[in-house]
């Protein structure tokens, strides 16, 4: 598939570095995108994919490094400039008008005129129809754009981009909301563009798509390039391993984490979820966890691991499924009901879903404590201080003052505040979604040790982590998810990185969840 | 208004600015009082103090309810219309019994609050739109109850509420003070108060912590409407007439101004009760000062507008920190 002589790359990013306060989002990343090639960009959450895209399409400026378009150094002051220079990103809705027709959108700003400032509607529609035909899109160009499906809107955005001379097209997870037949249609358009010599950057975490469509692949991890090369030269297993930061040949020895699963005594089943389904997201997912057990959910980003715990907790509406906690059927779609039955969720996105930035450390910890700190609806400050003091000691939360604003704490300490919030409710089962993401090494080990301690104390834990070693070393059992389905359950000695990666790479799902 | 332009070391000036920003409403209030003490004849009289208190009381009460709604990142445009509804209830039922009249006014408040709160909490309609309905319709309903007329009221019990004094302080002002105290306790000391702050500060976190987000929103709108109904009853009692066309007209703007000037951010997650009270006093005094010094009503309104914009500007600055 890859031509032997590829000529000059259309777009070259050279040693791009982007720092945000406290974190280097992208560290000296280079990527070459050649004309007539589809270049896949993959990586887990926080790997730096979206930062790289935003550096290329002008949303951010790079702190270091250079961007070359057709050999010439370029620097964009904003997305508009990048777009005018020929770098187009799908989902740039600024360029599309939902109330205008498909034809008007396609030819916006360059409509054929009839004189007197009047648009030649007939010619415009004919031109638009020709464009659509060329890319195999069967669609009435006179319909308003807003009335067509997301897939067609996307294709129209792409067609509009290339018909205005786009040299580079960036597709950011274009299939995430498409039906299987729409995916095929989109791929057809992408292949026509490729054959026309457009350089395409394709962001996805769907392995099947990458192997079906892409010529080159670049893997980012923790803001660095960990692999770049032709898709034909890498196996699925190798790709999964690089994405997760593992080495296939040399699986590292255990002991990387602070987990110690020896001391746990597994007890009675506490939570069992069966047949969790949601259109396009989850398909018949069943998981369970017992007292004293840590159950890991493994899978790539988008595999449905977070959605599973959100479904259990009632944050994600389910089409079907039953959740039982201590033999009691949980009311669906109600986090409050889940909490009162003894379920707690540590959300994946600490800032957006966890902390209340306008409240103090003290109030954040006891936010959900309810009855244990309040009598007749009045909060007892002595009880609050007692509970907060206990958890600040136990979790070693570093604060200068309990009335300090929670926003002033470091990521690790904020995470501990949220863990304390969960624990002071005295739960039977906790769902921990990425408990150690984005925090420093020391806090990470402390939190891992804490999870251990909780399990030994009889708590049932469901653990999600994009760090495979966390799941491998921390879990008594592991469910492996792929495309919204459970593709395997591993237990005890059978839990290994090889086994998990093998399931992720090779397990066959029925294409997409909805067809199951 | 205050002179803090002296050059100082960077840290000090940073701290000074923060102090001014967080206590601006009190400083401004002090400045206006000081100005009046010097420049306005008869300002420091008991009569004037009583007059100012009586006039500010309904605004304070409405603003308190508005403050907790804004604390949840909401807004209630219908408070003026709810005041008119309460006035109409008083007019209709006062013949039978003044207590029944007051009771029915409060019931009207509860119903209005349930309507607003349900739209926001259960149907997820944006507060500004949800309360716009009652803002438009409420006054119409009130006018229908009184057949579109001003109804004079001659009930001594009811009149006492708005016109009498206790220890020299107008009863209406005492009531406003009491409600301020209750609101402050509720926000600072009760679980409900913390829940409402959490809902405003981060609704997704509140939901994820298992808080009864919808119930909190519903109750907040009910409290706000009941406070508005109390204010409507007070105004009716004071003027010895129920005039649904004018009772509480434009008060939503004064209330929102008082809340914002008092340091409660429109983005929610924080409620400053004392600041709200001070904000209401500030706006009242600024207005009466301007009138007393022969500015026209129109000019006074422009000054009011300038204060609102200035206050919001300071808020924005704080948020950016």
């Amino acid at each position: 598939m890859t031509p032997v002589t590829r000529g000059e790359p259309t777009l070259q990013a050279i040693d791009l570095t982007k720092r945000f306060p406290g974190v280097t989002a992208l560290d000296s990343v280079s990527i070459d995108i050649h004309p007539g090639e589809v270049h896949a960009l993959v990586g887990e959450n926080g790997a730096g994919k979206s930062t790289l895209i935003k550096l290329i399409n002008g949303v951010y400026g790079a702190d270091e490094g250079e961007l070359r378009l057709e050999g010439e150094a370029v620097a964009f002051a904003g997305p508009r400039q990048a777009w005018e220079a020929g770098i187009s990103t799908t989902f740039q809705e600024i360029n599309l008008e939902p109330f205008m027709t498909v034809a008007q959108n396609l030819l916006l700003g360059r409509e054929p005129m009839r004189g007197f400032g009047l648009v030649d509607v007939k010619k415009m529609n004919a031109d638009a129809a020709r464009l659509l035909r060329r890319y195999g899109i069967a669609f009435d160009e006179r319909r308003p754009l807003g009335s067509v499906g997301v897939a067609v809107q996307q294709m129209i955005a792409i067609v509009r981009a290339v018909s205005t001379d786009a040299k580079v097209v960036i597709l950011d997870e274009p299939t995430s909301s498409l039906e299987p037949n729409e995916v095929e249609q989109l791929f057809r358009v992408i292949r026509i563009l490729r054959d026309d010599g457009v350089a395409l950057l394709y962001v996805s975490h769907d392995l099947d798509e990458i192997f079906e469509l892409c010529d080159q692949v670049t893997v980012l991890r923790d803001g660095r390039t960990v692999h770049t090369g032709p898709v034909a030269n890498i196996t699925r297993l190798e790709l999964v391993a690089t994405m997760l930061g593992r080495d296939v040949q040399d699986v590292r020895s255990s002991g990387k984490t602070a987990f110690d699963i020896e001391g746990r005594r597994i007890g009675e089943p506490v939570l069992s979820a069966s047949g969790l389904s949601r259109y396009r997201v989850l398909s018949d997912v069943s998981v369970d966890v017992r007292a004293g057990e840590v159950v890991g959910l493994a899978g790539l980003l988008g595999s449905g691991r977070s959605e599973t715990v959100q479904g259990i907790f009632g944050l994600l509406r389910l089409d079907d499924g039953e959740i039982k906690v201590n033999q009691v059927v949980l009311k669906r779609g109600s986090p409050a009901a889940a909490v009162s039955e003894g379920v707690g969720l540590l959300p994946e996105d600490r800032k957006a879903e966890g902390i209340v930035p306008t409240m103090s450390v003290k109030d954040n910890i006891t936010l959900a404590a309810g009855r244990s700190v309040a009598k007749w609806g009045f909060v007892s400050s002595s009880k609050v201080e007692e509970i907060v003091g206990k958890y600040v000691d136990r979790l070693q939360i570093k604060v200068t003052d309990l009335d300090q604003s929670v926003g002033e704490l470091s990521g690790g300490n904020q995470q501990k505040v949220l863990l304390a919030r969960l624990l002071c409710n005295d739960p039977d089962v906790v769902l921990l979604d990425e408990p150690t993401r984005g925090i420093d090494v020391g806090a990470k080990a402390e939190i891992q040790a804490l999870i251990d301690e909780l399990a030994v104390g009889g708590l049932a834990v469901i653990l999600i982590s994009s760090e495979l070693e966390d799941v491998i070393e921390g879990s008594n059992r592991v469910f492996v998810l792929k495309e919204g389905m459970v593709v395997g359950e591993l237990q005890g000695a059978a839990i290994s990185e090889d086994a998990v990666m093998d399931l992720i790479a090779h397990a066959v799902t029925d294409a997409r969840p909805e067809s199951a | 208004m205050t002179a803090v332009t002296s050059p100082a070391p960077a840290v000090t000036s940073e701290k000074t600015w923060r102090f001014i920003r967080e206590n601006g409403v009190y400083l401004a209030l002090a400045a206006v009082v000081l100005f009046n003490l010097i420049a306005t004849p008869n300002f420091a009289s008991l009569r004037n103090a009583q007059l100012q208190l009586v006039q500010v009381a309904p605004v304070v009460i409405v603003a308190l309810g508005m403050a907790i709604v804004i604390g949840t990142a909401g807004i209630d445009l219908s408070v003026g219309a709810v005041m008119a509804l309460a006035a109409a209830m008083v007019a209709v039922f006062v013949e039978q019994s003044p207590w029944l009249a007051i009771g029915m006014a409060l019931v009207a408040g509860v119903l209005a609050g349930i309507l607003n709160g349900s739209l926001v909490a259960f149907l997820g309609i944006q507060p500004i739109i949800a309360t716009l309905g009652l803002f438009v319709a409420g006054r119409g309903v009130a006018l229908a109850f009184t057949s579109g007329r001003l109804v004079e009221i001659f009930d001594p019990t009811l009149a006492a509420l708005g016109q009498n004094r206790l220890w020299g302080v107008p009863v209406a002002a005492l009531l406003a003070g009491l409600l301020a105290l209750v609101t402050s306790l509720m926000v600072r000391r009760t679980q409900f108060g913390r829940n409402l702050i959490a809902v405003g500060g981060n609704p997704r976190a509140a939901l994820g912590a298992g808080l009864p987000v919808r119930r909190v929103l519903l109750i907040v709108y009910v409290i706000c409407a009941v406070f508005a109904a109390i204010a409507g009853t007070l105004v009716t009692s004071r003027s010895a007439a129920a005039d649904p066309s004018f009772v509480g007209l434009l008060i939503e703007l004064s209330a929102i101004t008082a809340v914002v000037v008092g340091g409660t951010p429109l983005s929610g997650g924080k409620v400053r009760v004392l600041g709200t009270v001070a904000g209401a006093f500030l706006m009242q005094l600024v207005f009466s000062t301007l009138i007393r010094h022969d500015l026209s009503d129109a000019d006074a309104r422009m000054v009011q507008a300038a204060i609102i914009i200035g206050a919001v500007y300071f808020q924005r600055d704080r948020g950016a920190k």
Side-chain angles (χ1 to χ4, degrees):
Chain A
M1 222 184 273
T2 313
V4 185
T5 47
R6 300 197 289 159
E8 285 299 302
T10 310
L11 184 85
Q12 261 184 306
I14 304 161
D15 291 334
L16 291 182
T17 298
K18 179 71 187 172
R19 296 183 197 92
F20 293 108
V23 58
T24 303
L26 214 58
D27 188 359
S28 192
V29 167
S30 300
I31 191 168
D32 289 356
I33 309 170
H34 291 260
E37 279 185 9
V38 184
H39 196 127
L41 180 64
V42 297
E44 285 283 89
N45 247 343
K49 287 174 298 181
S50 52
T51 308
L52 179 59
I53 292 173
K54 285 174 180 170
L55 287 175
I56 293 176
N57 69 15
V59 174
Y60 298 150
D63 293 327
E64 281 162 36
E66 197 181 55
L67 211 55
R68 284 191 198 155
L69 187 62
E70 296 184 320
E72 277 177 48
V74 285
F76 304 121
R80 188 93 218 170
Q81 273 190 19
W83 184 74
E84 280 162 2
I87 297 176
S88 166
T89 311
T90 51
F91 285 130
Q92 268 186 333
E93 283 120 348
I94 44 168
N95 298 325
L96 292 180
E97 300 285 343
F99 297 113
M100 291 187 170
T101 67
V102 169
Q104 282 170 327
N105 269 291
L106 276 172
L107 297 167
L108 193 64
R110 53 198 173 98
E111 297 90 347
M113 305 303 270
R114 276 196 319 186
F116 303 111
L118 295 174
V119 174
D120 187 344
V121 177
K122 231 180 218 167
K123 185 166 184 323
M124 179 178 75
N125 286 344
D127 288 354
R130 204 172 313 120
L131 268 173
L132 291 178
R133 238 188 344 267
R134 173 143 186 265
Y135 292 100
I137 305 169
F139 208 84
D140 185 351
E141 69 282 355
R142 287 164 302 188
R143 270 178 68 177
L145 184 77
S147 72
V148 310
V150 184
V152 180
Q153 288 196 30
Q154 260 181 48
M155 284 181 255
I156 284 161
I158 297 170
V159 169
R160 172 172 156 71
V162 292
S163 65
T164 54
D165 244 7
K167 298 158 189 144
V168 179
V169 173
I170 301 170
L171 299 133
D172 192 356
E173 295 193 28
T175 57
S176 57
S177 54
L178 301 191
E179 307 283 340
N181 63 325
E182 294 176 323
V183 172
E184 274 315 307
Q185 213 177 345
L186 179 69
F187 280 11
R188 221 166 40 230
V189 173
I190 292 174
R191 289 198 181 99
I192 296 173
L193 294 176
R194 183 193 61 196
D195 297 343
D196 285 353
V198 175
L200 295 119
L201 183 64
Y202 189 86
V203 182
S204 177
H205 38 250
D206 189 318
L207 295 179
D208 294 335
E209 289 178 14
I210 291 163
F211 282 94
E212 184 185 339
L213 184 72
C214 300
D215 306 297
Q216 298 280 318
V217 59
T218 292
V219 184
L220 294 183
R221 182 168 173 78
D222 297 333
R224 293 197 181 83
T225 316
V226 289
H227 172 88
T228 185
V231 170
N233 294 356
I234 190 169
T235 66
R236 280 164 177 263
L237 196 58
E238 284 166 344
L239 187 59
V240 172
T242 5
M243 285 169 75
L244 295 175
R246 317 304 297 159
D247 196 332
V248 185
Q249 276 77 36
D250 171 35
V251 173
R252 277 180 262 166
S253 58
S254 64
K256 291 271 168 197
T257 64
F259 287 114
D260 170 23
I261 67 171
E262 298 300 321
R264 297 177 192 159
R265 284 206 316 274
I266 313 291
E268 294 298 303
V270 176
L271 179 142
S272 66
S274 51
L276 306 186
S277 297
R278 182 185 156 100
Y279 182 64
R280 309 193 54 80
V281 178
L282 294 176
S283 172
D284 199 21
V285 170
S286 299
V287 294
D288 63 289
V289 59
R290 296 155 180 267
E293 186 184 35
V294 176
V295 168
L297 300 186
L300 296 176
L301 185 67
S303 60
R305 48 185 199 200
S306 290
E307 290 78 3
T308 300
V309 295
Q310 285 167 0
I312 291 172
F313 192 67
L315 280 177
L316 179 83
R317 197 173 304 187
L318 297 171
D319 299 329
D320 207 357
E322 187 182 71
I323 298 133
K324 276 187 182 168
V325 180
N326 294 322
Q327 313 307 323
V328 179
V329 176
L330 208 60
K331 185 180 159 195
R332 257 173 28 196
S334 167
V339 169
S340 67
E341 290 300 330
V343 185
L345 171 74
L346 185 78
E348 182 183 11
D349 190 336
R350 201 163 49 228
K351 279 213 165 64
E353 297 164 343
I355 63 169
V356 181
T358 54
M359 292 175 103
S360 65
V361 170
K362 201 165 76 177
D363 288 345
N364 263 286
I365 290 179
T366 53
L367 187 62
R371 275 145 288 164
S372 54
V373 293
K375 202 173 178 186
W376 304 109
F378 279 88
V379 176
S380 148
S381 51
S382 62
K383 274 192 184 144
V384 165
E385 257 148 46
E386 184 190 318
I387 289 184
V388 170
K390 188 171 111 191
Y391 284 104
V392 166
D393 279 353
R394 183 170 167 202
L395 306 187
Q396 301 189 325
I397 306 175
K398 288 175 196 69
V399 289
T400 53
D401 178 358
L402 296 181
D403 289 314
Q404 193 179 3
S405 158
V406 75
E408 293 169 9
L409 301 185
S410 70
N413 280 305
Q414 287 184 358
Q415 194 71 303
K416 288 180 184 174
V417 164
L418 294 180
L419 276 166
R421 183 194 288 170
L422 281 190
L423 297 179
C424 66
N425 250 342
D426 203 15
D428 296 325
V429 52
V430 290
L431 317 169
L432 308 178
D433 196 350
E434 300 276 8
T436 58
R437 181 198 293 163
I439 62 182
D440 64 85
V441 182
K444 210 172 198 170
E446 280 173 30
I447 286 176
Q448 288 165 346
L450 175 76
I451 294 170
D452 244 350
E453 190 188 318
L454 295 171
V456 170
L459 196 67
V461 180
I462 291 185
L463 173 70
I464 296 176
S465 176
S466 47
E467 305 281 342
L468 195 49
E469 62 201 24
D470 281 4
V471 177
I472 302 296
E473 293 187 17
S475 309
N476 301 91
R477 258 188 314 145
V478 173
F479 288 95
V480 181
L481 286 105
K482 183 179 181 180
E483 288 166 19
M485 301 177 81
V486 174
V487 292
E489 181 183 347
L490 303 167
Q491 194 160 5
I495 303 174
S496 69
E497 303 194 344
D498 280 348
V500 171
M501 291 193 296
D502 187 57
L503 280 167
I504 295 174
H506 297 126
V508 179
T509 57
D510 304 351
R512 303 220 141 226
E514 77 277 7
S515 56
Chain B
M1 245 165 267
T2 44
V4 196
T5 46
S6 56
V11 180
T12 321
S13 87
E14 174 71 19
K15 269 189 180 165
T16 314
W17 268 114
R18 214 165 99 184
F19 180 79
I20 292 175
R21 229 179 261 155
E22 297 199 337
N23 299 284
V25 65
Y26 307 116
L27 296 174
L29 187 58
V32 173
V33 169
L34 202 66
F35 172 82
N36 276 295
L37 286 173
I38 297 165
T40 311
N42 298 326
F43 180 77
S45 69
L46 184 62
R47 264 190 65 104
N48 182 52
Q50 286 168 341
L51 179 71
Q52 301 290 352
L53 282 175
V54 165
Q55 286 185 345
V56 84
V59 180
V60 168
I61 294 172
V62 171
L64 288 169
M66 188 70 79
I68 60 170
V69 168
I70 288 178
T72 64
I75 200 131
D76 188 348
L77 295 183
S78 71
V79 283
V82 173
M83 282 179 72
L85 271 176
M89 288 299 123
V90 170
V92 171
F93 290 99
V94 75
E95 301 275 285
Q96 295 170 50
S97 144
W99 299 110
L100 178 70
I102 294 171
M104 291 309 288
L106 296 181
V107 167
V110 171
L111 292 177
I114 289 175
L115 175 66
N116 285 336
S118 303
L119 293 177
V120 174
F122 298 108
L123 299 185
I125 299 175
Q126 283 177 347
I128 197 164
I129 303 300
T131 58
L132 195 61
L134 204 53
F135 169 84
V136 174
R139 206 169 284 277
V141 174
L143 282 165
F145 269 108
T146 60
S147 313
R149 286 194 314 265
L150 181 149
V151 181
E152 284 187 275
I153 290 165
F154 309 99
D155 186 275
T157 317
L158 194 72
L161 188 65
Q163 295 163 10
N164 279 20
R165 300 187 192 109
L166 199 60
W167 311 302
V169 185
V171 171
L174 287 174
L175 189 59
L178 181 70
L179 290 177
L181 195 69
V182 168
T183 309
S184 178
L185 270 179
M186 183 178 77
V187 170
R188 286 156 174 264
R189 296 259 180 256
T190 68
Q191 213 182 339
F192 173 75
R194 293 201 320 177
N195 289 355
L196 88 84
I197 304 281
V199 168
N202 188 345
R204 288 169 74 191
L207 197 66
L211 301 186
V213 174
R214 290 177 169 175
R215 196 166 69 210
V216 169
L217 284 173
L218 179 66
I219 294 173
V220 160
Y221 283 90
V222 169
I223 292 174
C224 182
V226 167
F227 278 23
I230 293 173
T233 310
L234 274 184
V235 171
T236 308
S237 146
R238 188 181 78 211
S239 53
D243 185 0
S245 307
F246 288 102
V247 173
L249 196 64
L250 291 179
I251 201 167
E252 53 282 335
L253 297 184
S254 309
I256 293 168
T257 308
V259 172
V260 173
V261 169
T264 301
L266 282 171
S267 49
K270 199 171 169 188
V271 176
R272 292 184 62 175
V273 175
L274 192 61
T276 299
V277 174
F281 271 98
L282 177 66
M283 299 316 291
Q284 162 76 18
L285 279 184
V286 165
F287 205 71
S288 77
T289 304
L290 295 170
I291 301 291
R292 287 279 288 276
H293 288 267
D294 295 331
L295 256 75
S296 70
D297 191 79
D299 292 336
R301 280 183 194 280
M302 279 186 249
V303 172
Q304 211 173 356
I307 293 176
I308 298 173
I309 291 167
V312 173
Y313 176 76
F314 272 116
Q315 291 268 334
R316 185 197 66 102
D317 222 358
R318 191 183 307 160
K321 279 273 163 182

